[in-house]
């Protein structure tokens, strides 16, 4: 852990000299200024910036031959790009689209089916927050090599988002997933509302990004597990999803989670039904991968971490004989160490815990299962774990 601080220190003192690593969440403008994922203009030299979703990098832009088109400083050979048509909307999208593709909307914005009612002034801010979280989600899915297909391009297997508020009859929408459509109650972008619901529901953690990672887990269950060779193994690990969902929901809200649920599940909600267990575990996998990846981008090395707790052994994994097992376990152990440190940092600021969860051995096995599914589907998850 001490070495992490030393490395972080040197990283801050001499940043970006060696060029961005694969993990980088920090890039450099042509003027040398550090750039972060959300930036659309350099704060130092005012250069226009854009995010290229594949291979996943933020770069300063040079005006190209025709109006509103740009070359990438990071890769001048990559051709001409336009900035996403949602750049100058409340979504403030800083992503790039290859010139002549996608009707001006980037791969993340093309997923929107319904955007919030912008005649309501509060929805401008809410939509902005929603899009920041959604771009973070989509960037990670692409980084893992997972297919990100818009419903407007493939109705049957694509993904779409509805960001909606109360309807004309005064009914509130339900946040959830059905057949590739993710619905988000736009009130979830109101911090006061979301915090109130979090306390009411007794949840330790409730964020827009968390919602998206959970709901997209249901989408990828349909794509990657249903009807695949993973279905039998899924049922052995998570249970039989053919159990009545309606009854499970009813039981969960009447009786709550079973006692000792912490030994087998990542959250109380995960105990409700195998589908929810999958979505909760999937969301945690994405949280862990993103956080460890970011820490690695700042110079942390998981291999050099000095664990001050008993690390999980190989037998904890879903498939202990898998050749990537030791790497995955190193990643999990690095995460637990990192989360422990970040929790202490949060407490030193009087903030709630950064990661208010405990991962028992049974959940490590489930996370490994999710990892193997994603690695097979996207071909990139092993590389992310190995880059430690
Ligand atoms: Zn600059
Ligand atoms: Zn966009
Ligand atoms: Zn769910």
């Amino acid at each position: 852990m001490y070495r992490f601080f030393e490395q972080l220190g040197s990283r801050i003192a001499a940043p970006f000299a060696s060029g961005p690593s694969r993990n980088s969440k920090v890039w450099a403008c042509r003027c040398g200024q550090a750039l972060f994922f959300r930036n659309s203009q350099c704060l130092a030299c005012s250069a226009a910036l854009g995010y290229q979703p594949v291979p996943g990098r933020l770069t300063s832009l040079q005006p190209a031959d025709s109006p509103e088109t740009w070359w990438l400083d990071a890769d001048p050979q990559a051709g001409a790009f336009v900035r996403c048509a949602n750049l100058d909307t409340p979504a403030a999208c800083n992503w790039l689209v290859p010139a002549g593709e996608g009707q001006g909307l980037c791969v993340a914005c093309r997923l929107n089916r319904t955007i919030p009612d912008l005649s309501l002034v509060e929805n401008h801010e809410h939509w902005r927050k929603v899009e920041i979280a959604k771009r973070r989600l989509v960037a990670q899915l692409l980084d893992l090599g997972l297919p990100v297909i818009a419903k407007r391009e493939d109705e049957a297997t694509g993904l779409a988002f509805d960001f909606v508020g109360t309807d004309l009859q005064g009914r509130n929408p339900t946040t959830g997933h059905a057949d590739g459509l993710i619905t988000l109650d736009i009130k979830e972008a109101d911090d006061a509302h979301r915090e109130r619901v979090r306390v009411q529901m007794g949840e330790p953690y409730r964020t827009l990004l968390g919602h998206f990672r959970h709901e997209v887990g249901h989408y990828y269950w349909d794509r990657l597990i249903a009807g695949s060779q993973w279905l039998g193994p899924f049922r052995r690990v998570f249970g039989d999803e053919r159990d009545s969902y309606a009854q499970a929901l009813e039981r969960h809200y009447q009786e709550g989670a079973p006692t000792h649920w912490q030994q087998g599940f990542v959250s109380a909600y995960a105990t409700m039904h195998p589908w929810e267990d999958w979505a909760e575990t999937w969301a945690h996998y994405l949280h862990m991968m993103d956080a460890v990846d970011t820490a690695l981008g700042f110079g942390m090395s998981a291999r050099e971490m000095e664990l001050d707790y008993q690390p999980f052994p190989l037998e904890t994994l879903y498939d202990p004989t898998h050749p990537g097992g030791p790497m995955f376990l190193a990643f999990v152990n690095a995460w637990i160490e990192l989360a422990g440190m970040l929790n202490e940092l949060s407490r030193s600021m009087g903030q709630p815990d950064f990661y208010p969860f405990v991962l028992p051995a049974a959940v490590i096995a489930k996370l490994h299962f999710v990892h193997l599914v994603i690695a097979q589907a996207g071909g990139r998850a092993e590389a992310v774990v190995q880059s430690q």
Side-chain angles (χ1 to χ4, degrees), residues 258-287:
T259 42
H260 307 305
W261 63 263
Q262 290 92 341
Q263 289 162 16
F265 299 87
V266 73
S267 70
Y269 190 65
T271 64
M272 200 251 273
H273 188 272
W275 274 333
E276 297 308 337
D277 192 11
W278 162 265
E280 287 287 90
T281 308
W282 170 282
H284 275 261
Y285 176 82
L286 295 186
H287 290 330

Side-chain angles (χ1 to χ4, degrees), residues 29-33 35 42-47 49 60:
C29 182
R30 58 174 173 260
C31 76
Q33 171 78 16
L35 306 177
C42 176
L43 293 173
C45 76
S46 299
L49 308 174
S60 43

Side-chain angles (χ1 to χ4, degrees), residues 83-87 91-97 104-110 131 134-135:
R83 304 176 86 191
C84 177
N86 274 343
L87 175 66
C93 180
N94 65 344
W95 285 27
L96 295 165
V97 191
L105 286 175
C106 75
V107 57
C109 291
R110 278 206 296 275
E131 291 295 337
K134 200 191 75 195
R135 287 197 292 274

